[in-house]
Amino acid sequence: MTLRTTFLVQPFELHRKRLRPARQEPAQSEFGALKKAEALAARMPGAAALKIVADDETGELEGVTILGQFGEVPEDFAETLLGN
């Protein structure tokens, strides 16, 4: 089992007065994800920087960490990541 760490930015857009996820963007590092999320939140309602650890062979998710949130992010965003 080989664990792989990836970094993503999840921006959010307004649709019918509700926040919804927009297209995810990859980042090269934790720092890059935080900077990209902050920049996206300046022109969109909000964004979150994520660290994702998954099994490289099976794709099974080992864990998701929210590195930072900028602007408006849905209140239940953390819960949806955990699958609750």
Side-chain angles (χ1 to χ4, degrees), residues 35-47 70-71:
K35 285 303 199 187
K36 189 178 277 196
E38 188 174 18
L40 281 172
R43 46 181 226 267
M44 299 182 87
F70 303 90

Side-chain angles (χ1 to χ4, degrees), residues 8-13 18-25 37 46-52 61 64-84:
L8 288 176
V9 176
Q10 177 61 72
F12 294 93
E13 60 189 6
R18 295 191 61 179
L19 287 173
R20 73 173 185 186
R23 184 179 179 147
Q24 291 179 342
E25 296 194 21
L50 306 172
K51 174 183 174 182
I52 300 168
L61 197 61
V64 178
T65 304
I66 299 173
L67 301 172
Q69 297 181 157
F70 303 90
E72 294 181 54
V73 175
E75 291 179 20
D76 64 346
F77 179 62
E79 293 172 11
T80 59
L81 288 177
L82 300 173
N84 293 339

